[in-house]
Amino acid sequence: MTIKTLRAWEILDSRGRPTLAVEARLSDGTTATAQVPSGASTGKHEALELRDRDPARYAGRGVLRAVANVEGVLQAALSGCPAEDQATVDRRMIAVDGTPDKRNLGANAILGVSCAVARAAAMAQGVPLWKRLAGDREPRMPVPMVNIVSGGLHTLGGIEVQDFLVIPHGFDSLADSLEAVVRVHAFARRTIEKHGYALTGVADEGGWGPALDSNERALAILDEAIEASGCGGRMSIAIDVAASHFHRDGAYFLETEGRRLDAAGMTDLLESWCDRFPVISIEDALDEDDWAGWKQLTARLGARAQLIGDDLFTTNTVRLRRGIEEGAANAVLVKMNQIGTLTETFEVIDAARAAGWRAVVSARSGETEDSFLADLAVASGAGQIKIGSITRSERLAKYNRLLEVERGM
Ligand code: PGA
Ligand code: ZN
């Protein structure tokens, strides 16, 4: 089967911002689509998301140029290319773009094609997407890391730390894990209200976004909710500090608490959280370019916690290799649109595994109803997935797809 045509159009993501849908049609008539996610707390080393910058439409956020690139340059480059050969498809797009960060054609345009072609190839072969993506890898149902309380750039202001999540363990299935997580989520609301904090609606990833007086308060609330729900001992805590967005001039500004910390001060704070709460995973504890701080953090906390680089690595093998060599972090967050092709996404997951590192497959804060991520997580064997909370259908599309795969796996 070869690629016959590519079509693209502008759709809206879960924040009401434009993104792309791409349709790939193969020579046998098989047609499949894919939708592209978009972040808010983006790392500065991410591949470029092409936006129109036309102030007359969507405040400059339109993606009609990316749409045109799919239907023009990319279709011309890929027409006749074998759809089963994902690496060739992706490498051809990388070559045609010709820049290290895909700024010519846009990582959003390229990723849409990469995923739509993969899905079409799976359909044409009559196999589930996860099975086709897995290749020689051992597929595995991932453990979810589920957002319960949000802060940072995913809320209307308030605390600086972006995500407070739970990781279920000791459950027989994803279905059982989710049942328990939903209970914790409900108890978190009651706990927030019981302590008199204003619930300011749900945050971008579907978790609670309360107005709290400190970052630690969110941990205390989550801890209390886990106990109250009867899940104590079977639910650990993960946090995504997303520290780059409150790092300026070498310092970390926790404005809610009137504190200004250096990297060692941040590490002290996180260590005290690990001592007092069941925190087992910390993402983007420090700034995306604070390599020295990351090394010290890893030396101090690496044996007791999963230290994930998101903005630090931006799903980029060059940055990941540096982290592995220097002992900065011990796990990598994997977001397809940070790098722009499936082939490069798998390279990062495989490089992490070869180094004995863990990988967490992740959604973006701006998502769509596409469930591709669920199949990617299963196929990669990464073992962990971070989708957001258990409300809002752009999140549930992925959880529900995982439940479907679990039933049939
Ligand atoms: P983003 O947030 O999609 O806004 O970057 C997700 C994360 O930081 O993990
Ligand atoms: Zn993150």
Side-chain angles (χ1 to χ4, degrees):
M1 257 97 47
T2 56
I3 297 171
K4 198 165 170 218
T5 55
L6 296 173
R7 286 201 314 136
W9 58 99
E10 205 173 49
I11 58 168
L12 296 179
D13 73 11
S14 55
R15 270 190 286 255
R17 294 181 187 163
T19 185
L20 264 79
V22 174
E23 179 198 83
R25 181 179 293 269
L26 308 186
S27 51
D28 69 346
T30 307
T31 305
T33 62
Q35 301 174 334
V36 180
S38 174
S41 68
T42 46
K44 78 171 171 238
H45 304 287
E46 293 191 19
L48 182 104
E49 181 179 72
L50 189 66
R51 299 269 176 200
D52 296 342
R53 293 172 181 268
D54 169 6
R57 295 185 73 252
Y58 292 117
R61 292 199 182 99
V63 292
L64 296 179
R65 284 163 64 204
V67 165
N69 289 343
V70 172
E71 297 190 339
V73 183
L74 289 171
Q75 151 143 317
L78 293 178
S79 178
C81 192
E84 317 81 63
D85 189 352
Q86 188 74 39
T88 300
V89 170
D90 290 342
R91 302 248 173 272
R92 197 171 285 183
M93 291 195 284
I94 292 166
V96 172
D97 173 81
T99 65
D101 61 357
K102 303 184 176 65
R103 64 175 45 249
N104 238 334
L105 301 175
N108 43 355
I110 292 173
L111 181 67
V113 174
S114 191
C115 292
V117 169
R119 184 173 267 145
M123 281 170 69
Q125 289 175 344
V127 295
L129 180 58
W130 60 267
K131 207 173 245 178
R132 152 133 194 101
L133 292 176
D136 298 335
R137 296 173 197 86
E138 178 110 28
R140 194 168 150 206
M141 186 53 61
V143 171
M145 187 183 271
V146 187
N147 172 296
I148 305 291
V149 176
S150 285
L153 298 180
H154 294 171
T155 57
L156 295 173
I159 55 172
E160 287 75 22
V161 173
Q162 180 176 285
D163 280 324
F164 296 84
L165 316 97
V166 290
I167 303 177
H169 39 82
F171 294 88
D172 289 339
S173 63
L174 177 76
D176 288 349
S177 306
L178 281 180
E179 192 277 330
V181 168
V182 168
R183 234 180 311 143
V184 174
H185 179 262
F187 273 94
R189 175 184 187 144
R190 282 183 227 172
T191 311
I192 291 164
E193 286 174 334
K194 182 177 122 193
H195 291 285
Y197 294 104
L199 261 180
T200 49
V202 299
D204 283 0
E205 297 199 8
W208 306 117
L212 301 176
D213 48 4
S214 74
N215 289 282
E216 194 170 308
R217 186 76 63 198
L219 275 176
I221 285 170
L222 191 48
D223 196 31
E224 192 179 326
I226 290 171
E227 292 301 324
S229 68
C231 291
R234 290 197 299 168
M235 225 32 102
S236 297
I237 296 178
I239 56 178
D240 180 1
V241 183
S244 300
H245 81 90
F246 58 86
H247 178 261
R248 283 190 307 280
D249 307 323
Y252 296 88
F253 291 85
L254 294 174
E255 267 155 34
T256 322
E257 305 169 20
R259 286 209 270 185
R260 174 180 194 254
L261 301 171
D262 60 8
M266 281 294 289
T267 305
D268 291 340
L269 179 65
L270 294 167
E271 185 168 41
S272 81
W273 288 353
C274 290
D275 288 340
R276 286 175 302 123
F277 301 101
V279 174
I280 60 162
S281 179
I282 306 171
E283 181 178 328
D284 279 353
L286 296 171
D287 179 68
E288 58 205 333
D289 287 316
D290 189 356
W291 291 95
W294 270 98
K295 280 198 265 183
Q296 285 162 14
L297 168 91
T298 309
R300 276 178 57 189
L301 299 183
R304 65 192 294 191
Q306 170 170 268
L307 302 173
I308 309 173
D310 169 11
D311 293 350
L312 177 68
F313 298 132
T314 55
T315 316
N316 181 315
T317 41
V318 176
R319 292 184 68 85
L320 175 63
R321 290 228 168 80
R322 176 167 178 193
I324 291 168
E325 270 161 32
E326 297 189 13
N330 58 26
V332 58
L333 201 77
V334 177
K335 291 167 166 168
M336 292 184 282
N337 78 324
Q338 282 183 329
I339 191 70
T341 65
L342 275 177
T343 300
E344 292 163 290
T345 301
F346 275 110
E347 271 168 19
V348 165
I349 297 170
D350 294 342
R353 180 180 292 117
W357 279 38
R358 302 209 209 156
V360 181
V361 173
S362 173
R364 297 307 305 239
S365 52
E367 269 294 338
T368 70
E369 61 272 28
D370 196 331
S371 60
F372 197 106
L373 192 78
D375 287 75
L376 172 72
V378 171
S380 70
Q384 296 182 78
I385 190 167
K386 179 182 147 189
I387 301 172
S389 201
I390 43 74
T391 71
R392 301 183 45 147
S393 290
E394 78 279 6
R395 314 287 146 193
L396 295 171
K398 284 81 164 165
Y399 287 119
N400 291 343
R401 170 64 180 156
L402 287 173
L403 291 170
E404 182 184 350
V405 174
E406 183 170 79
R407 276 290 277 182
M409 212 167 150

